[in-house]
Amino acid sequence: MRNALLLILALAAGCGIDPIEGNDLVLVRCGRKANAAIVLPRSPEASRQYAAEELRHYVREITGVTMQIVTNAVPPIGIYLDRAEDAADEEGFRLRSEGCNLHVAGGVRGILYGVYEVLETYGGCGWFASWHEVVPKIGRLAVPADLDVVQKPAFAMRQPFWYDVNTHREFAARNKVNGFNHVASGGVDAKFGGDSYRFGGGLGCCHTFDRLVPLEKYGKTHPEYYAFRNGARRVNPPPGGRQWYLQLCLTNPDV
């Protein structure tokens, strides 16, 4: 650990400034001109550009300092929004301090999630509803000088089925939610990373009985496939109520 810190201090000396304070890499200090800049490639995709804008917005809110967003530059202190080497992992991210710089690396959505992780864990921000967020006023934004953490979601689909999340995609993104209602309502805007997954075969995400065992195919020939209720098989749903009416007989071995 001592050798690692000496290396970090040596690299910091090469920055022309001293961003190391104790075991912290100080990215922004309240009341001082920002030495740190957010670094993007020359032609970033929409989600990475949005991640940079979100980072700049919330850093300004918590410290009063406005960071620059630069492309293909080497600022004194840089927060680099990088694509991860493993491009197949679209939602995971890695936060890593290196000398005077912080690297937020991830996939299309992973970079955005990594930015929110920095703001939440090290900036004290919290997003509790589309209409209520906590953005504290702090004297500096800093991360551990030896930071190196990787996060990957345990679940491919994260959907709390909450109206506020379903109708406010920016709020969903800040809480790393990628639920199916966004996809079902016409797709996710590219700045949020686009659609995060697809259901195969056109099944959709739920209410699939009618697609799997369609009445047109089996209603007359196999009425026993459908639920028995009040003395009759449920094979004649009312107009407009088909998906709610149709139930399969799940005790039937063929079904």
Side-chain angles (χ1 to χ4, degrees):
M1 177 65 74
R2 181 176 179 274
N3 290 336
L5 288 176
L6 288 174
L7 175 61
I8 291 169
L9 289 170
L11 290 170
C15 302
I17 56 174
D18 185 11
I20 305 300
E21 188 173 284
N23 191 39
D24 290 340
L25 167 60
V26 181
L27 301 168
V28 177
R29 295 179 188 274
C30 180
R32 297 189 186 181
K33 181 180 177 180
N35 287 309
I38 303 163
V39 184
L40 295 174
R42 190 174 300 278
S43 299
E45 61 270 40
S47 60
R48 197 168 356 177
Q49 180 69 43
Y50 180 65
E53 292 167 0
E54 284 283 87
L55 180 57
R56 178 175 61 183
H57 167 74
Y58 282 104
V59 168
R60 182 170 58 240
E61 290 295 305
I62 62 181
T63 67
V65 177
T66 300
M67 301 178 68
Q68 286 187 306
I69 298 175
V70 299
T71 58
N72 288 356
V74 184
I77 304 173
I79 302 179
Y80 289 81
L81 306 188
D82 306 322
R83 284 301 301 269
E85 294 180 2
D86 182 6
D89 182 13
E90 294 292 355
E91 301 206 337
F93 60 84
R94 181 184 183 187
L95 307 180
R96 179 173 59 88
S97 298
E98 183 180 48
C100 305
N101 304 313
L102 171 65
H103 293 267
V104 181
V108 172
R109 284 168 297 282
I111 293 174
L112 184 58
Y113 295 158
V115 162
Y116 290 134
E117 184 68 21
V118 171
L119 292 169
E120 188 172 14
T121 300
Y122 304 106
C125 295
W127 299 277
F128 301 101
S130 63
W131 44 266
H132 181 67
E133 61 183 18
V134 171
V135 183
K137 304 298 182 183
I138 59 178
R140 64 176 195 166
L141 177 65
V143 299
D146 56 354
L147 177 66
D148 192 352
V149 298
V150 175
Q151 290 191 24
K152 295 183 178 181
F155 297 95
M157 183 178 77
R158 300 175 300 283
Q159 172 63 30
F161 209 76
W162 178 24
Y163 180 82
D164 206 18
V165 168
N166 296 344
T167 54
H168 295 88
R169 292 174 181 170
E170 71 288 346
F171 173 54
R174 289 165 187 161
N175 285 281
K176 307 180 183 73
V177 170
N178 67 351
F180 63 79
N181 274 7
H182 308 321
V183 178
S185 60
V188 177
D189 192 299
K191 74 178 186 180
F192 302 118
D195 294 342
S196 54
Y197 55 86
R198 296 182 183 275
F199 290 96
L203 281 176
C205 55
C206 59
H207 303 299
T208 57
F209 280 179
D210 198 16
R211 296 183 180 93
L212 292 166
V213 188
L215 277 170
E216 290 79 5
K217 185 173 182 178
Y218 299 108
K220 293 183 179 179
T221 57
H222 291 282
E224 72 276 10
Y225 286 3
Y226 303 93
F228 192 81
R229 181 178 179 184
N230 296 331
R233 296 287 176 184
R234 300 183 65 179
V235 294
N236 295 300
R242 182 185 183 112
Q243 69 172 342
W244 305 106
Y245 183 90
L246 180 68
Q247 294 294 327
L248 297 179
C249 179
L250 297 180
T251 60
N252 184 304
D254 291 338
V255 172

